[in-house]
């Protein structure tokens, strides 16, 4: 099996995803930093593996980890071993940790956040409207970033004063280019910051999910302080990054497909269809780290060996022709059916999917209602991905608001 090295600079994510698909449903890959693993790259096989009890989240199953081959300063260590939380355990432990979070993020409960999301969106658009006409604006920094960060922070009870430090640390956390000597301190700083947030909620509980997790631990659910801290970090990280990329990628897709944009703005195609097709075609999460095989697992005509690591290459499987037909590589807002798994599948499916969809469903139509003639300020070919192996994330999105 030919090994495919994932580009740490993410210069051509679409090309990389095509190469992974061409290698078959199970591809042998090398992660940045020289770490070997496997990737599932086709839709059907991904669904199979994401519900296979032989493929687990326990890093102690990983042979390379057991042998001491994964250094503590590996740039992706925080993604591979983020500490004990609902992300890193299976079975009963996973259900115990996930229950409270899932209850807080049901579609019905999330819908109650709509008015607050609408208010935040309107405030951001008012700031953009106050800028001089024709001025170039980084839509990612000025619109796509503040909304999900403020929403998830309010949900979890995180003070806005912590946002600048969180942004700085998460930049290092996700990047493949963080110098190895900075990784241990970055991980320690994240732990310190989130521990401080949890401690403040113990002292002064509020109407937020962090306080609810603390209360549950005190009522006999036995969540340890480590589990609460790590769960908070996980939700903040995933809860804003994915939605930022969803909003940004949807704008780029519409601006580079003007006929489809015209149909959407004319009301012929609902915004829900734009969001679902963006999730499939330009999925916010390119690769998810990391699962481990407790025994040999057949994947098509190949085998994921016992003790090996597996990543799920959502960027590849979202354009799988065996699932979506010969037009899988095309952006088509009228695609139906569109049964993607951009938010995952099985027990570890993203609990924040409804929230992300709601935020994008409020933000995108409001943006185009206010600025129907917005345009990219640079050719789409000049937009550059950040060096993040897990996220389909641009450095910026320069636009002109005419």
């Amino acid at each position: 099996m030919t090994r495919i090295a994932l580009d740490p600079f993410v210069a051509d994510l679409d090309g990389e995803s095509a190469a992974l698909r061409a290698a078959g449903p199970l591809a042998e890959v090398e992660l940045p930093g020289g770490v070997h693993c496997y990737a599932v790259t086709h839709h059907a096989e991904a669904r199979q593996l994401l519900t296979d009890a032989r493929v687990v989240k326990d890093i102690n199953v990983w042979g390379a980890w057991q042998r001491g081959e994964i250094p503590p300063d590996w740039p992706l260590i925080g993604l591979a071993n983020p500490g004990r939380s609902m992300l890193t355990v299976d079975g009963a432990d996973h259900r115990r940790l996930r229950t409270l979070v899932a209850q807080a993020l049901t579609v019905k409960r999330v819908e109650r956040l709509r008015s607050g999301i609408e208010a935040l969106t309107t405030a951001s658009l008012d700031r953009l409207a106050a800028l001089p006409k024709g001025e170039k604006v980084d839509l990612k920094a000025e619109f796509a970033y503040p909304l999900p960060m403020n929403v998830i922070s309010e949900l979890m009870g995180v003070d806005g004063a912590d946002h600048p430090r969180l942004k700085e640390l998460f930049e290092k956390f996700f990047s493949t280019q963080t110098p190895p000597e900075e990784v241990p301190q970055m991980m320690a700083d994240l732990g310190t910051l989130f521990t401080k947030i949890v401690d403040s909620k113990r002292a002064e509980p509020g109407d937020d999910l962090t306080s609810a997790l603390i209360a549950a631990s005190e009522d006999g659910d036995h969540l340890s302080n480590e589990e609460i801290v790590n769960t908070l970090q996980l939700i903040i990280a995933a809860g804003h990054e994915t939605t930022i990329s969803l909003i940004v990628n949807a704008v780029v897709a519409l601006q580079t497909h003007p006929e489809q944009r015209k149909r959407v703005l004319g009301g012929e195609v609902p915004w829900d269809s734009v969001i679902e097709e963006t999730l499939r075609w330009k999925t916010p999460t390119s690769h998810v780290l990391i699962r481990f095989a407790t025994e040999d697992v057949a994947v098509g005509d190949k085998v994921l060996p016992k003790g090996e690591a597996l990543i799920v290459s959502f960027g590849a499987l979202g354009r799988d022709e065996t699932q979506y037909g010969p037009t899988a590589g095309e952006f088509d807002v009228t695609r139906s059916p569109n049964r993607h798994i951009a938010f995952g599948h099985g027990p570890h499916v993203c609990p924040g999917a409804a929230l992300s969809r709601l935020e994008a469903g409020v933000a995108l139509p409001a943006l185009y209602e206010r600025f129907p003639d917005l345009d990219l300020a640079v050719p789409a070919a000049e937009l550059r991905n950040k060096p993040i192996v897990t996220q389909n994330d641009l450095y910026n999105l320069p636009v002109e608001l005419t």
Side-chain angles (χ1 to χ4, degrees):
M1 192 185 297
T2 302
R3 187 180 299 185
I4 299 172
L6 301 188
D7 178 11
F9 295 100
V10 197
D12 181 12
L13 183 57
D14 289 346
E16 182 176 271
S17 295
L20 287 167
R21 279 193 306 278
L26 186 70
E28 195 168 353
V29 303
E30 184 175 293
L31 294 171
V35 172
H36 168 265
C37 69
Y38 290 79
V40 58
T41 66
H42 289 193
H43 183 98
E45 287 78 6
R47 286 176 62 96
Q48 168 205 329
L49 289 172
L50 288 170
T51 55
D52 194 319
R54 298 170 296 173
V55 183
V56 301
K57 288 300 199 99
D58 183 0
I59 196 170
N60 295 299
V61 172
W62 193 8
W65 181 262
Q66 295 171 349
R67 295 188 295 270
E69 297 170 5
I70 310 301
D73 60 356
W74 181 38
L76 301 180
I77 192 66
L79 293 162
N81 186 32
R84 185 177 174 83
S85 73
M86 65 181 182
L87 180 68
T88 57
V89 295
D90 299 282
D93 280 345
H94 173 255
R95 289 189 293 274
R96 176 177 64 86
L97 290 168
R98 184 185 172 98
T99 297
L100 282 167
V101 176
Q103 288 174 348
L105 293 173
T106 62
V107 173
K108 183 182 243 184
R109 284 178 179 247
V110 164
E111 185 61 31
R112 295 176 193 167
L113 302 173
R114 178 180 290 274
S115 61
I117 293 170
E118 290 173 343
L120 287 168
T121 299
T122 298
S124 289
L125 293 174
D126 287 346
R127 287 193 296 272
L128 292 176
L131 297 173
K133 293 294 183 184
E135 181 173 320
K136 291 183 181 179
V137 176
D138 180 359
L139 196 66
K140 178 185 174 183
E142 300 299 330
F143 182 70
Y145 175 82
L147 175 63
M149 191 59 177
N150 283 320
V151 170
I152 201 67
S153 293
E154 182 174 340
L155 183 69
M156 300 305 297
V158 174
D159 195 314
D162 289 320
H163 287 183
R165 182 59 172 153
L166 282 171
K167 187 174 188 297
E168 177 187 356
L169 289 171
F170 279 136
E171 290 275 352
K172 292 184 177 183
F173 178 82
F174 285 107
S175 177
T176 62
Q177 300 305 297
T178 299
E181 63 272 15
E182 295 182 13
V183 170
Q185 187 61 55
M186 174 268 294
M187 293 296 294
D189 288 348
L190 274 169
T192 298
L193 178 54
F194 282 106
T195 297
K196 182 200 80 170
I197 294 169
V198 170
D199 288 346
S200 72
K201 288 298 171 182
R202 285 191 189 280
E204 296 184 34
D207 183 19
D208 54 74
L209 185 50
T210 302
S211 298
L213 290 170
I214 293 168
S217 71
E218 294 170 347
D219 289 342
D221 272 9
H222 307 299
L223 282 83
S224 70
N225 197 65
E226 177 194 12
E227 289 168 340
I228 296 169
V229 169
N230 291 338
T231 297
L232 173 61
Q233 178 174 323
L234 165 66
I235 294 174
I236 294 293
H240 79 284
E241 281 288 342
T242 299
T243 308
I244 293 168
S245 295
L246 172 55
I247 294 170
V248 166
N249 293 344
V251 171
V252 175
L254 289 174
Q255 294 307 121
T256 52
H257 296 81
E259 288 303 313
Q260 296 193 54
R261 172 185 162 181
K262 181 179 178 181
R263 295 183 66 183
V264 173
L265 298 192
E268 294 179 46
V269 179
W271 280 100
D272 285 352
S273 296
V274 176
I275 291 166
E276 298 309 314
E277 180 65 350
T278 302
L279 286 166
R280 181 200 70 84
W281 184 73
K282 211 72 167 171
T283 180
T285 304
S286 44
H287 307 282
V288 166
L289 279 59
I290 201 163
R291 290 167 166 82
F292 313 97
T294 59
E295 58 183 81
D296 288 356
V297 179
V299 184
D301 60 355
K302 298 176 182 176
V303 172
L304 172 64
K306 177 181 178 180
E308 291 292 340
L310 176 78
I311 66 173
V312 183
S313 293
F314 286 101
L317 59 92
R319 300 190 186 185
D320 179 9
E321 290 190 0
T322 59
Q323 171 69 15
Y324 303 105
T327 64
E330 301 173 13
F331 179 75
D332 179 6
V333 294
T334 66
R335 187 178 303 277
S336 180
N338 192 358
R339 298 191 183 96
H340 63 78
I341 54 172
F343 285 111
H345 178 67
H348 285 276
V349 66
C350 176
L355 179 58
S356 187
R357 285 184 166 107
L358 174 60
E359 290 178 75
V362 170
L364 288 166
L367 172 68
Y368 279 96
E369 183 178 356
R370 187 76 69 96
F371 303 108
D373 298 318
L374 79 82
D375 199 4
L376 297 182
V378 298
E382 293 182 12
L383 298 171
R384 294 188 304 130
N385 276 81
K386 296 177 73 173
I388 300 176
V389 75
T390 55
Q391 299 297 125
N392 187 358
D393 188 16
L394 297 177
Y395 274 101
N396 52 30
L397 181 59
V399 300
E400 293 179 355
L401 302 175
T402 55

